[in-house]
mmCIF file of all heavy atoms in Angstrom:
data_model
loop_
_atom_site.group_PDB
_atom_site.id
_atom_site.type_symbol
_atom_site.label_atom_id
_atom_site.label_comp_id
_atom_site.label_asym_id
_atom_site.label_seq_id
_atom_site.Cartn_x
_atom_site.Cartn_y
_atom_site.Cartn_z
ATOM 1 N N ALA A 388 -4.888 26.143 18.131
ATOM 2 C CA ALA A 388 -5.775 27.021 17.361
ATOM 3 C C ALA A 388 -5.618 28.482 17.753
ATOM 4 O O ALA A 388 -5.697 29.376 16.902
ATOM 5 C CB ALA A 388 -7.226 26.576 17.535
ATOM 6 N N ILE A 389 -5.399 28.745 19.042
ATOM 7 C CA ILE A 389 -5.295 30.148 19.471
ATOM 8 C C ILE A 389 -3.857 30.660 19.378
ATOM 9 O O ILE A 389 -3.590 31.818 19.666
ATOM 10 C CB ILE A 389 -5.830 30.341 20.904
ATOM 11 C CG1 ILE A 389 -4.995 29.552 21.927
ATOM 12 C CG2 ILE A 389 -7.298 29.950 20.978
ATOM 13 C CD1 ILE A 389 -5.414 29.789 23.364
ATOM 14 N N GLY A 390 -2.914 29.790 18.990
ATOM 15 C CA GLY A 390 -1.527 30.233 18.837
ATOM 16 C C GLY A 390 -0.763 30.289 20.144
ATOM 17 O O GLY A 390 0.239 31.003 20.247
ATOM 18 N N ALA A 391 -1.200 29.520 21.157
ATOM 19 C CA ALA A 391 -0.535 29.570 22.463
ATOM 20 C C ALA A 391 0.715 28.713 22.523
ATOM 21 O O ALA A 391 1.589 28.961 23.354
ATOM 22 C CB ALA A 391 -1.515 29.130 23.553
ATOM 23 N N ILE A 392 0.815 27.694 21.697
ATOM 24 C CA ILE A 392 1.955 26.776 21.777
ATOM 25 C C ILE A 392 2.719 26.784 20.457
ATOM 26 O O ILE A 392 2.174 27.099 19.396
ATOM 27 C CB ILE A 392 1.509 25.336 22.125
ATOM 28 C CG1 ILE A 392 0.469 24.813 21.126
ATOM 29 C CG2 ILE A 392 0.949 25.295 23.535
ATOM 30 C CD1 ILE A 392 0.024 23.384 21.397
ATOM 31 N N ALA A 393 3.997 26.433 20.570
ATOM 32 C CA ALA A 393 4.865 26.402 19.391
ATOM 33 C C ALA A 393 4.871 25.003 18.795
ATOM 34 O O ALA A 393 4.818 24.012 19.536
ATOM 35 C CB ALA A 393 6.285 26.799 19.792
ATOM 36 N N PRO A 394 4.943 24.886 17.474
ATOM 37 C CA PRO A 394 5.047 23.542 16.875
ATOM 38 C C PRO A 394 6.379 22.900 17.254
ATOM 39 O O PRO A 394 7.366 23.584 17.544
ATOM 40 C CB PRO A 394 4.953 23.815 15.372
ATOM 41 C CG PRO A 394 5.353 25.242 15.211
ATOM 42 C CD PRO A 394 4.946 25.946 16.460
ATOM 43 N N VAL A 395 6.383 21.576 17.254
ATOM 44 C CA VAL A 395 7.616 20.845 17.548
ATOM 45 C C VAL A 395 8.586 21.070 16.382
ATOM 46 O O VAL A 395 8.240 20.788 15.227
ATOM 47 C CB VAL A 395 7.332 19.342 17.716
ATOM 48 C CG1 VAL A 395 8.633 18.580 17.992
ATOM 49 C CG2 VAL A 395 6.332 19.120 18.849
ATOM 50 N N PRO A 396 9.788 21.596 16.646
ATOM 51 C CA PRO A 396 10.731 21.848 15.538
ATOM 52 C C PRO A 396 11.285 20.545 14.987
ATOM 53 O O PRO A 396 11.271 19.500 15.655
ATOM 54 C CB PRO A 396 11.825 22.679 16.209
ATOM 55 C CG PRO A 396 11.779 22.286 17.653
ATOM 56 C CD PRO A 396 10.346 21.990 17.948
ATOM 57 N N ASP A 397 11.795 20.612 13.781
ATOM 58 C CA ASP A 397 12.311 19.402 13.127
ATOM 59 C C ASP A 397 13.349 18.692 13.993
ATOM 60 O O ASP A 397 13.376 17.463 14.060
ATOM 61 C CB ASP A 397 12.925 19.763 11.770
ATOM 62 C CG ASP A 397 11.863 20.177 10.751
ATOM 63 O OD1 ASP A 397 10.678 19.909 11.010
ATOM 64 O OD2 ASP A 397 12.230 20.777 9.727
ATOM 65 N N ARG A 398 14.209 19.461 14.666
ATOM 66 C CA ARG A 398 15.275 18.845 15.445
ATOM 67 C C ARG A 398 14.763 18.065 16.653
ATOM 68 O O ARG A 398 15.513 17.282 17.246
ATOM 69 C CB ARG A 398 16.251 19.918 15.935
ATOM 70 C CG ARG A 398 15.668 20.926 16.925
ATOM 71 C CD ARG A 398 16.696 21.970 17.316
ATOM 72 N NE ARG A 398 16.224 22.883 18.351
ATOM 73 C CZ ARG A 398 15.430 23.920 18.138
ATOM 74 N NH1 ARG A 398 15.031 24.195 16.914
ATOM 75 N NH2 ARG A 398 15.041 24.701 19.142
ATOM 76 N N ALA A 399 13.481 18.268 17.018
ATOM 77 C CA ALA A 399 12.914 17.581 18.186
ATOM 78 C C ALA A 399 11.952 16.459 17.799
ATOM 79 O O ALA A 399 11.426 15.766 18.670
ATOM 80 C CB ALA A 399 12.190 18.590 19.087
ATOM 81 N N LEU A 400 11.715 16.283 16.498
ATOM 82 C CA LEU A 400 10.720 15.290 16.074
ATOM 83 C C LEU A 400 11.123 13.869 16.433
ATOM 84 O O LEU A 400 10.263 12.981 16.525
ATOM 85 C CB LEU A 400 10.481 15.413 14.563
ATOM 86 C CG LEU A 400 9.744 16.678 14.111
ATOM 87 C CD1 LEU A 400 9.674 16.737 12.582
ATOM 88 C CD2 LEU A 400 8.333 16.725 14.706
ATOM 89 N N GLY A 401 12.420 13.609 16.630
ATOM 90 C CA GLY A 401 12.856 12.263 17.012
ATOM 91 C C GLY A 401 12.259 11.796 18.324
ATOM 92 O O GLY A 401 12.180 10.589 18.574
ATOM 93 N N MET A 402 11.818 12.740 19.155
ATOM 94 C CA MET A 402 11.200 12.356 20.429
ATOM 95 C C MET A 402 9.854 11.685 20.223
ATOM 96 O O MET A 402 9.293 11.115 21.166
ATOM 97 C CB MET A 402 11.050 13.592 21.328
ATOM 98 C CG MET A 402 12.347 14.074 21.941
ATOM 99 S SD MET A 402 12.079 15.381 23.161
ATOM 100 C CE MET A 402 11.951 16.822 22.115
ATOM 101 N N LEU A 403 9.310 11.768 19.023
ATOM 102 C CA LEU A 403 8.023 11.123 18.745
ATOM 103 C C LEU A 403 8.194 9.674 18.311
ATOM 104 O O LEU A 403 7.209 8.961 18.134
ATOM 105 C CB LEU A 403 7.265 11.919 17.678
ATOM 106 C CG LEU A 403 6.930 13.358 18.065
ATOM 107 C CD1 LEU A 403 6.270 14.092 16.914
ATOM 108 C CD2 LEU A 403 6.010 13.376 19.293
ATOM 109 N N ASP A 404 9.451 9.256 18.115
ATOM 110 C CA ASP A 404 9.687 7.844 17.845
ATOM 111 C C ASP A 404 9.526 7.076 19.160
ATOM 112 O O ASP A 404 9.523 7.661 20.233
ATOM 113 C CB ASP A 404 11.115 7.643 17.294
ATOM 114 C CG ASP A 404 11.322 8.367 15.975
ATOM 115 O OD1 ASP A 404 10.319 8.614 15.267
ATOM 116 O OD2 ASP A 404 12.482 8.707 15.671
ATOM 117 N N ASP A 405 9.420 5.756 19.063
ATOM 118 C CA ASP A 405 9.344 4.925 20.272
ATOM 119 C C ASP A 405 8.120 5.304 21.109
ATOM 120 O O ASP A 405 8.139 5.249 22.341
ATOM 121 C CB ASP A 405 10.640 5.082 21.078
ATOM 122 C CG ASP A 405 10.732 4.115 22.252
ATOM 123 O OD1 ASP A 405 10.155 3.011 22.140
ATOM 124 O OD2 ASP A 405 11.358 4.466 23.265
ATOM 125 N N GLN A 406 7.023 5.752 20.455
ATOM 126 C CA GLN A 406 5.803 6.138 21.158
ATOM 127 C C GLN A 406 4.598 5.419 20.558
ATOM 128 O O GLN A 406 4.684 4.836 19.472
ATOM 129 C CB GLN A 406 5.608 7.653 21.037
ATOM 130 C CG GLN A 406 6.705 8.475 21.688
ATOM 131 C CD GLN A 406 6.164 9.500 22.668
ATOM 132 O OE1 GLN A 406 4.998 9.471 23.037
ATOM 133 N NE2 GLN A 406 7.015 10.406 23.106
ATOM 134 N N PHE A 407 3.472 5.463 21.246
ATOM 135 C CA PHE A 407 2.229 4.874 20.729
ATOM 136 C C PHE A 407 1.683 5.788 19.618
ATOM 137 O O PHE A 407 1.482 6.995 19.830
ATOM 138 C CB PHE A 407 1.204 4.711 21.844
ATOM 139 C CG PHE A 407 1.594 3.688 22.873
ATOM 140 C CD1 PHE A 407 2.283 4.054 24.020
ATOM 141 C CD2 PHE A 407 1.295 2.339 22.673
ATOM 142 C CE1 PHE A 407 2.656 3.105 24.965
ATOM 143 C CE2 PHE A 407 1.661 1.384 23.610
ATOM 144 C CZ PHE A 407 2.347 1.773 24.751
ATOM 145 N N ALA A 408 1.430 5.197 18.476
ATOM 146 C CA ALA A 408 1.088 5.978 17.288
ATOM 147 C C ALA A 408 -0.169 6.830 17.485
ATOM 148 O O ALA A 408 -0.217 7.987 17.053
ATOM 149 C CB ALA A 408 0.914 5.045 16.093
ATOM 150 N N ALA A 409 -1.183 6.262 18.136
ATOM 151 C CA ALA A 409 -2.442 7.011 18.292
ATOM 152 C C ALA A 409 -2.260 8.224 19.188
ATOM 153 O O ALA A 409 -2.912 9.254 18.995
ATOM 154 C CB ALA A 409 -3.528 6.100 18.853
ATOM 155 N N VAL A 410 -1.389 8.105 20.194
ATOM 156 C CA VAL A 410 -1.153 9.251 21.080
ATOM 157 C C VAL A 410 -0.414 10.350 20.314
ATOM 158 O O VAL A 410 -0.748 11.533 20.418
ATOM 159 C CB VAL A 410 -0.343 8.816 22.317
ATOM 160 C CG1 VAL A 410 -0.169 9.998 23.265
ATOM 161 C CG2 VAL A 410 -1.029 7.664 23.036
ATOM 162 N N VAL A 411 0.573 9.955 19.542
ATOM 163 C CA VAL A 411 1.309 10.940 18.730
ATOM 164 C C VAL A 411 0.355 11.613 17.749
ATOM 165 O O VAL A 411 0.397 12.835 17.563
ATOM 166 C CB VAL A 411 2.462 10.251 17.981
ATOM 167 C CG1 VAL A 411 3.120 11.222 16.995
ATOM 168 C CG2 VAL A 411 3.505 9.739 18.976
#
Side-chain angles (χ1 to χ4, degrees):
I389 63 176
I392 56 178
V395 179
D397 290 345
R398 65 182 185 280
L400 290 175
M402 286 188 277
L403 299 176
D404 298 336
D405 188 30
Q406 297 233 12
F407 293 93
V410 183
V411 173

